[in-house]
Amino acid sequence: MEGLLTEKQRLWREQVAKFAQHQVFPEVEAMEQGQFPRALLAEMGRKGFLGIPIPATYQGLGADFTTYIIAIHELSKVSATIGVIVSVHTSVVTMPILAFGTNQQKTSYVPLLASGQKLGAFCLTEPTAGSDASSILLRAERADEYYVLNGTKIFITSGGEADLYLVFAVTDPASTKKNISAFIVEEDTPGFTIGKDEKKMGLHGSKTVTLHFDGVRIPKEQLLGEEGEGFHIAMSSLNAGRIGIAAQSLGIAEAAFNETVTYFKRNPAGLESTIRLGDMATKWEAAKLLVYQAASYKQANRPVTKEASMAKLFASKTAVEISTEAIHLLGMAGYTNRYNVERYFRDAKICEIYEGTSEIQRLVICKQLI
Ligand SMILES: Cc1cc2nc3c(=O)[nH]c(=O)nc-3n(C[C@H](O)[C@H](O)[C@H](O)COP(=O)(O)OP(=O)(O)OC[C@H]3O[C@@H](n4cnc5c(N)ncnc54)[C@H](O)[C@@H]3O)c2cc1C
């Protein structure tokens, strides 16, 4: 892995790791109690963490995609909550606005997002549309200079805390193809309200909420890309998103592995237990190679759909396996909150579900192969 990074990226990794230890770790307990890390995110915004791969002209750090993935990886070693908030905000909100936005949209929103003055949320899932995202029902009807949005989104990360919502809606129900469009919705738009806040097994510091759209009037200038381009925007954004979640998984896996090694150093165990570290280390290294390969493809503007899905599929499975094994090897201590492994275990599972379940990643990979 060291050989995969440039000197500059290695230094950046150390810098992020230090930030995570000194600034993020002290907030972990409050996040575990359900507190959204608002002050920490503001500080991260000031330091450039919320716009790492965004050009400096838009108030980003102007770094490459791998540098961004290093940050998600390192931050997630300490807090998977921070990992997902940063990944969603950057990969599937700021980057698509930069890629598909008009000049007006880019200059209005990207600097505010990249500097952390505004937080973004990505709104695709609905009560009847999870894995099959193309079956969304939220309607956007054109009325003069506006679109009027009616419907519901569920399980939206950072919902209620975010300032900008990238919302996918049906603009042409008569068409079976190209009927979805993307809209930028500001949090204070009349008719837009926050609903249920889900109680989750992990990621306690992140919000996961229902959003209601009741006659929400959006100026037509808030349409992102062309009418009918929404599904393409969502899917292409998810390529970057999945590499982000793969890096989040990698962080959780590495943290669980490191904690197990530390425990064994203090509490020597029998050979039968100790050699299981060999499997854990091998899986984690393999996951790392897939994640950083996908990041390098994305950075080089190469097609990355298959590689992003492979990285997410394998890294999320690795996070679940390693965190499960960590609890098992620590025995009763692992099942308590005296160690972090139980948190890693609770945080790992979602990586196999959001931004496409593992079955969906397999389907995506198959489609690319055949
Ligand atoms: C904590 C959390 C945060 C989230 N954040 C966001 C967010 O910010 N924005 C957003 O839009 N959504 C978000 N989601 C929603 C998430 O993306 C969906 O949960 C996910 O896409 C799966 O959809 P589903 O839950 O409806 O499962 P379903 O689609 O109902 O799937 C149930 C099971 O069936 C399997 N399955 C489904 N279809 C197939 C198939 N064709 N072939 C084989 N197996 C299949 C699935 O793999 C899964 O095992 C979040 C969810 C959670 C839990």
Side-chain angles (χ1 to χ4, degrees):
M1 153 80 184
E2 283 303 307
L4 298 176
L5 303 183
T6 63
E7 180 60 17
K8 200 170 164 196
Q9 289 167 339
R10 277 199 293 275
L11 290 173
W12 165 251
R13 192 170 65 140
E14 281 169 25
Q15 196 183 321
V16 182
K18 253 188 215 153
F19 177 85
Q21 271 313 322
H22 295 135
Q23 310 277 106
V24 179
F25 185 70
E27 302 302 321
V28 165
E29 189 45 42
M31 288 192 265
E32 272 306 286
Q33 299 308 317
Q35 195 172 307
F36 187 79
R38 187 172 282 284
L40 176 59
L41 288 167
E43 174 63 8
M44 290 176 68
R46 285 189 288 275
K47 289 197 149 49
F49 283 109
L50 297 182
I52 297 166
I54 307 302
T57 42
Y58 290 101
Q59 289 193 35
L61 270 193
D64 57 49
F65 192 79
T66 299
T67 297
Y68 161 58
I69 288 304
I70 291 169
I72 302 286
H73 175 182
E74 286 302 323
L75 291 167
S76 301
K77 274 160 74 174
V78 173
S79 168
T81 284
I82 291 295
V84 70
I85 295 171
V86 175
S87 180
V88 167
H89 169 87
T90 310
S91 298
V92 291
V93 183
T94 314
M95 288 175 68
I97 295 178
L98 187 63
F100 295 96
T102 59
N103 276 339
Q104 176 64 43
Q105 288 168 342
K106 288 195 276 192
T107 49
S108 298
Y109 295 122
V110 176
L112 293 172
L113 289 162
S115 59
Q117 292 171 71
K118 286 197 186 292
L119 186 66
F122 174 85
C123 314
L124 186 60
T125 304
E126 297 185 9
T128 54
S131 294
D132 182 10
S134 64
S135 61
I136 61 168
L137 297 174
L138 192 137
R139 181 80 166 95
E141 215 165 346
R142 183 74 188 260
D144 301 325
E145 300 299 292
Y146 291 86
Y147 286 91
V148 182
L149 272 57
N150 281 292
T152 303
K153 294 287 178 187
I154 58 169
F155 280 80
I156 302 306
T157 297
S158 300
E161 300 290 344
D163 309 278
L164 280 186
Y165 294 78
L166 184 54
V167 179
F168 296 87
V170 175
T171 33
D172 180 6
S175 158
T176 47
K177 270 187 182 171
K178 293 198 162 192
N179 61 348
I180 294 175
S181 304
F183 296 90
I184 304 167
V185 178
E186 299 190 10
E187 52 94 22
D188 56 358
T189 314
F192 173 56
T193 52
I194 309 299
K196 186 174 184 212
D197 180 358
E198 302 292 342
K199 300 283 165 268
K200 310 185 294 290
M201 71 183 274
L203 299 183
H204 286 166
S206 81
K207 294 290 170 200
T208 312
V209 308
T210 296
L211 306 175
H212 299 290
F213 297 79
D214 189 7
V216 177
R217 282 162 71 83
I218 307 293
K220 68 177 185 351
E221 291 73 25
Q222 301 295 92
L223 171 72
L224 182 68
E226 301 291 320
E227 214 180 87
E229 205 184 359
F231 195 69
H232 168 65
I233 293 174
M235 293 304 121
S236 62
S237 309
L238 283 172
N239 282 338
R242 285 166 182 165
I243 307 171
I245 300 305
Q248 183 201 23
S249 311
L250 196 55
I252 299 169
E254 187 173 344
F257 173 74
N258 288 344
E259 187 145 63
T260 313
V261 171
T262 306
Y263 182 86
F264 275 174
K265 283 184 180 162
R266 289 192 192 134
N267 307 277
L271 185 63
E272 239 174 70
S273 292
T274 313
I275 59 167
R276 287 160 77 162
L277 288 175
D279 285 324
M280 291 163 84
T282 306
K283 283 179 193 169
W284 161 56
E285 288 287 350
K288 206 156 55 171
L289 290 173
L290 281 175
V291 173
Y292 282 90
Q293 170 178 267
S296 73
Y297 273 44
K298 170 79 187 146
Q299 187 173 310
N301 281 326
R302 292 173 64 176
V304 72
T305 302
K306 174 165 62 76
E307 289 70 21
S309 285
M310 285 177 166
K312 182 179 181 288
L313 174 66
F314 192 80
S316 60
K317 183 169 181 273
T318 301
V320 170
E321 286 176 358
I322 291 185
S323 57
T324 307
E325 187 75 335
I327 294 203
H328 198 72
L329 291 176
L330 267 65
M332 58 187 172
Y335 197 67
T336 70
N337 65 1
R338 268 185 271 157
Y339 292 87
N340 291 305
V341 288
E342 65 88 29
R343 172 165 61 90
Y344 303 143
F345 173 84
R346 288 185 288 102
D347 286 347
K349 183 61 199 171
I350 186 57
C351 301
E352 292 190 316
I353 297 173
Y354 54 22
E355 301 207 11
T357 65
S358 296
E359 286 72 27
I360 297 306
Q361 305 311 322
R362 292 188 184 100
L363 281 174
V364 171
I365 295 164
C366 286
K367 269 193 197 156
Q368 296 292 315
L369 292 173
I370 299 170

